[in-house]
């Protein structure tokens, strides 16, 4: 056994010994949920955070024990959310991708320890040694050595013109920030690769595999993957953001929803009814003769393979002592109870799915608004509803206040966004020596060129990354035209082989979402503006 495999085996043994067998753990089964209490929590969260729509469901003792929906599919549409409304589930998709892989392992089509290049011969990481040694399992546990969110600008904002082949090719140009298998850092691109590995092993496209291996056998009839018609599917929730205190639709779906390159990492959409069936499949005892997934593979997916840092909030709120990543799932303890869960985050869509196997209980939250705090608070209230059964627990207001208190008490040393209110549009003649077409090895070409009196930054493969260059003191930033692109970059220029031949981007707000991975970009000028189309 190799040293890395030995470490994982030890971690697995420790985690399983501490947690016990999910089906034989010494916890009493939970009582059915108190619907009135959950209703109050849902209503409070919707009002407090001005959510346009939400769907919440609970599975307990093998049955759907609670289901609630509030609000609408799109602000002002008059179309109400119901149990069949389709939401973006974002990174809850990852567990469906690993389920497909696990089914292929059960069928003998691949093994977790197979080299990735066995299935994708052209796959390359930046380090040739890693290219040769990275295994299928490594694609799933965020241990590749890449920084958090590396390359995510090829996935989001959508729509864009990047393909899965672009993503696989780009990995050779993304430089690691730490050692292979050294530590955890969340990434999405390798889940795209995992979907391509599954497709290669099965000889079928990823979208077809998910339908055949997950949706059809589990009866998840409303889930959508690949390309599909919004009108034909109907009842599709749209993402929202807050503007002037009210929710407005952003990035609305067109008539045809495309098969995006992010599909295996976070591109599936499902209804509340679908997600309840998904939870039941995991909480129910497998069929003794014809299981959807073998007990062996269930254990593998829910084993802690990569330790994750435990935040102070997790220690204070949940008493967490163990936390790590399985295959598409986060595994932890909450109040001494085993928790298997994941969250999903996309612009205007937030989701959470929590399974408590010891209690034979799970719940799911789907929202179509700016709901990060809403998700955090409601998840905590529901967790305590089950893990602290019979004990008086705080409600929505308590945890909402704690989040606000935490924000207010951040130390002065905490990075904060600078004041850029004195910004003014750069003239078309500004940065004359730096204007031109620039190329990054993995992101492709951008233009820094005059247009209708402004100096503009335009990404050729990502049309939402289009904005005016602004001057702030002696610095330059890009003010994106699309308000939903909410992370502005500074522009900086460095001398290379010739004067001003290198352009770098960095976050204006140091707390911006890591998926805007500006720091991974390294542009070199390749043509003057007059040669741009």
């Amino acid at each position: 056994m190799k040293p890395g495999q030995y470490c994982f085996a030890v971690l697995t043994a420790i985690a399983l010994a501490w947690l016990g067998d999910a089906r034989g753990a010494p916890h009493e089964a939970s009582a059915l949920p108190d619907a009135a209490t959950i209703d109050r929590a849902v209503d409070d969260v919707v009002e407090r955070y001005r959510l346009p729509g939400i769907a919440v469901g609970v599975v307990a003792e093998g049955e759907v024990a609670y289901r609630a929906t509030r609000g609408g599919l799109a602000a002002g549409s008059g179309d109400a959310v119901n149990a069949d409304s389709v939401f973006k589930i974002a990174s809850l998709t990852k567990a469906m991708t690993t389920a497909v892989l696990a089914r292929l392992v059960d069928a003998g089509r691949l093994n977790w320890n197979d080299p990735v290049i066995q299935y994708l011969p052209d796959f390359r990481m930046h380090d040739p040694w890693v290219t040769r040694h990275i295994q299928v399992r490594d694609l799933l546990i965020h241990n590749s050595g890449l920084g958090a969110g590396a390359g995510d600008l090829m996935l989001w904002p959508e729509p864009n013109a990047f393909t899965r082949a672009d993503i696989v090719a780009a990995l050779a140009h993304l430089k690691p920030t730490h050692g292979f298998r050294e530590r955890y850092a969340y990434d999405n691109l390798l889940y795209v690769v995992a979907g391509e590995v599954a497709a290669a092993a099965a000889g079928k496209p990823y979208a077809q595999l998910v339908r055949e291996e997950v949706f059809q056998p589990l009866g998840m009839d409303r889930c959508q993957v690949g390309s599909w018609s919004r009108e034909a599917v109907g009842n599709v929730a749209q993402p929202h953001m807050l503007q002037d205190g009210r929710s407005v639709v952003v990035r609305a779906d067109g008539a045809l929803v495309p098969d995006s390159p992010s599909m295996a990492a976070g591109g599936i959409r499902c209804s509340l009814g679908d997600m309840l069936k998904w939870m039941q499949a995991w909480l129910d005892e497998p069929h003794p003769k014809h299981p959807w997934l073998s007990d062996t593979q269930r254990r593998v997916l829910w084993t802690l393979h990569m330790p994750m840092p435990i935040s102070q909030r997790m220690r204070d709120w949940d008493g967490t002592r163990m936390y790590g990543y399985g295959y598409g799932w986060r595994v932890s303890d909450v109040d001494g109870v085993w928790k298997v869960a994941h969250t999903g985050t996309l612009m205007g869509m937030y989701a959470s799915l929590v399974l408590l196997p010891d209690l034979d209980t799970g719940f799911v939250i789907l929202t179509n608004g700016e709901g990060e705090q809403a998700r955090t608070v409601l998840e905590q209230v529901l967790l305590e509803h089950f893990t602290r059964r019979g004990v008086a627990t705080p409600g929505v207001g308590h945890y909402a206040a704690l989040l606000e208190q935490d924000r207010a008490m951040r130390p002065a040393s905490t990075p904060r966004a600078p004041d850029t209110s004195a910004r003014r549009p750069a003239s078309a003649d500004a940065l004359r020596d730096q204007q031109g077409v620039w190329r990054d090895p993995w992101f492709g070409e951008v233009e820094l060129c005059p247009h209708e009196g402004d100096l503009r930054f335009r990404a050729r493969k990502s049309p939402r990354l289009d904005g005016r260059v602004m001057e702030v003191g002696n610095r330059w930033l890009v003010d994106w035209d699309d308000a939903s692109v909410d992370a502005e970059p500074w522009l900086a220029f460095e001398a290379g082989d010739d004067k001003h031949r290198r352009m770098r981007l960095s976050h204006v707000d140091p707390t911006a979402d890591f998926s805007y991975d500006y720091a991974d970009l390294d542009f070199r000028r390749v043509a003057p503006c007059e040669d741009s189309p």
Side-chain angles (χ1 to χ4, degrees):
M1 180 180 289
K2 297 178 181 178
Q5 293 173 323
Y6 176 77
C7 292
F8 289 130
V10 171
L11 283 170
T12 297
I14 293 171
L16 289 175
W18 188 88
L19 292 168
D21 187 334
R23 306 192 190 285
H27 292 273
E28 296 180 1
S30 68
L32 294 176
D34 180 343
T37 298
I38 299 179
D39 277 338
R40 287 193 295 271
V42 172
D43 290 338
D44 193 352
V45 162
V46 170
E47 180 179 2
R48 184 179 299 270
Y49 295 103
R50 292 170 287 183
L51 295 177
I54 191 171
V56 180
V58 177
V59 169
E61 300 176 6
E63 302 294 333
V64 176
Y66 175 86
R67 184 161 45 193
T69 58
R70 305 282 192 274
L73 300 176
S77 70
D79 297 323
V81 171
N82 59 36
D84 290 328
S85 300
V86 176
F87 287 78
K88 295 179 181 180
I89 65 169
S91 285
L92 303 189
T93 298
K94 289 180 169 65
M96 296 182 183
T97 297
T98 59
V100 169
L101 289 164
R103 293 260 294 180
L104 294 176
V105 173
D106 271 342
R109 304 297 294 271
L110 63 76
N111 292 303
W112 297 116
N113 293 333
D114 287 341
V116 174
I117 55 175
Q118 178 177 327
Y119 301 95
L120 304 176
D122 294 332
F123 171 80
R124 297 289 183 272
M125 295 292 282
H126 190 267
D127 184 331
W129 188 93
V130 176
T131 298
R132 295 192 301 272
H133 292 87
I134 191 169
Q135 300 172 344
V136 175
R137 64 189 308 279
D138 294 307
L139 302 175
L140 312 175
I141 56 177
H142 312 293
N143 71 345
S144 68
L146 293 175
D152 276 1
L153 284 171
M154 289 187 291
L155 303 181
W156 302 290
E158 295 175 319
N160 60 53
F162 291 100
T163 66
R164 292 177 179 85
D166 290 334
I167 290 167
V168 172
L171 284 159
H173 302 288
L174 288 167
K175 297 178 182 179
T177 61
H178 51 279
F180 178 48
R181 295 177 179 161
E182 178 184 311
R183 62 179 175 84
Y184 171 90
Y186 194 83
D187 73 69
N188 289 292
L189 263 58
L190 292 180
Y191 264 83
V192 176
V193 176
E196 294 304 281
V197 166
K204 300 176 182 178
Y206 171 82
Q208 181 181 347
L209 272 177
V210 177
R211 293 188 193 103
E212 293 179 357
E213 302 295 339
V214 177
F215 300 164
Q216 292 171 12
L218 301 183
M220 298 166 66
D221 301 328
R222 293 281 295 160
C223 285
Q224 302 298 318
V225 64
S227 179
W228 47 280
S229 165
R230 176 180 172 182
E231 181 179 353
V233 171
N235 198 359
V236 181
Q238 297 301 298
H240 295 72
M241 69 180 295
L242 286 171
Q243 290 184 347
D244 299 324
R246 63 188 185 91
S247 290
V248 297
V249 175
V250 292
R251 305 187 189 179
D253 292 317
L256 181 67
V257 178
D259 179 0
S260 70
S262 68
M263 198 62 65
I268 288 175
R269 304 199 204 186
C270 292
S271 70
L272 175 62
D274 294 321
M275 298 308 290
L276 291 168
K277 293 175 182 176
W278 175 242
M279 289 193 293
Q280 285 177 303
W282 288 101
L283 292 171
D284 287 351
E285 291 281 351
H287 190 286
K289 293 184 178 179
H290 305 289
W292 168 68
L293 191 64
S294 70
D295 194 57
T296 297
Q297 294 311 317
R298 288 171 181 256
R299 283 177 173 272
V300 168
L301 268 60
W302 283 4
T303 291
L304 190 161
H305 295 282
M306 174 53 59
M308 297 169 62
I310 300 173
S311 69
Q312 190 59 49
R313 182 192 299 169
M314 293 176 69
R315 297 180 191 276
D316 294 343
W317 289 16
D318 300 331
T320 298
R321 294 166 289 174
M322 182 275 296
Y323 186 38
Y325 212 85
Y327 291 169
W329 299 91
R330 296 180 181 125
V331 182
S332 63
D333 62 300
V334 174
D335 299 321
V337 176
W338 185 18
K339 175 185 174 186
V340 183
H342 214 291
T343 54
T345 303
L346 287 172
M347 164 52 66
M349 291 270 185
Y350 287 79
S352 177
L353 188 148
V354 174
L355 300 175
L356 304 170
D358 294 343
L359 305 181
D360 195 18
T361 298
F363 61 84
V364 64
I365 302 166
L366 305 172
T367 72
N368 63 337
E370 284 193 280
E372 182 175 12
Q373 292 187 58
R375 177 182 64 189
T376 299
V377 169
L378 185 56
E379 179 181 313
Q380 189 65 28
V381 170
L382 292 179
L383 263 176
E384 294 185 359
H385 185 74
F386 296 107
T387 63
R388 302 181 186 180
R389 175 67 65 180
V391 177
T393 56
V396 167
H398 172 78
Y399 286 107
L402 286 182
L403 290 182
E404 291 302 318
Q405 178 181 325
D406 180 63
R407 177 179 297 182
M409 295 181 64
R410 288 175 184 169
S413 60
T414 301
R416 298 175 186 271
D419 180 5
T420 61
S421 59
R423 67 179 64 187
R424 57 189 178 87
S427 71
D429 291 329
L431 296 172
R432 175 60 65 183
D433 290 339
Q434 290 86 1
Q435 291 181 17
V437 179
W438 298 75
R439 179 182 294 131
D440 174 81
W442 60 269
F443 187 70
E445 293 182 350
V446 304
E447 300 169 23
L448 186 68
C449 296
H451 181 74
E452 296 182 354
D454 292 324
L455 180 61
R456 301 192 66 84
F457 181 105
R458 289 177 163 176
R460 288 183 172 175
K461 282 194 170 185
S462 189
R464 290 191 189 275
L465 296 183
D466 186 339
R468 291 192 301 177
V469 176
M470 310 293 285
E471 188 174 358
V472 184
N474 62 351
R475 303 188 71 181
W476 310 89
L477 64 77
V478 182
D479 185 353
W480 304 119
D481 293 346
D482 189 330
S484 72
V485 184
D486 55 357
E488 296 175 331
W490 295 114
L491 298 181
F493 302 90
E494 304 171 6
D497 297 334
D498 196 359
K499 185 179 180 182
H500 302 310
R501 291 291 180 176
R502 194 176 187 193
M503 179 170 66
R504 304 301 298 265
L505 277 64
S506 60
H507 289 114
V508 172
D509 182 351
T511 66
D513 191 295
F514 60 67
S515 285
Y516 293 99
D517 58 316
Y518 299 138
D520 292 321
L521 297 167
D522 188 3
F523 289 102
R524 306 300 171 101
R525 193 164 60 175
V526 295
C529 286
E530 54 264 31
D531 290 350
S532 62

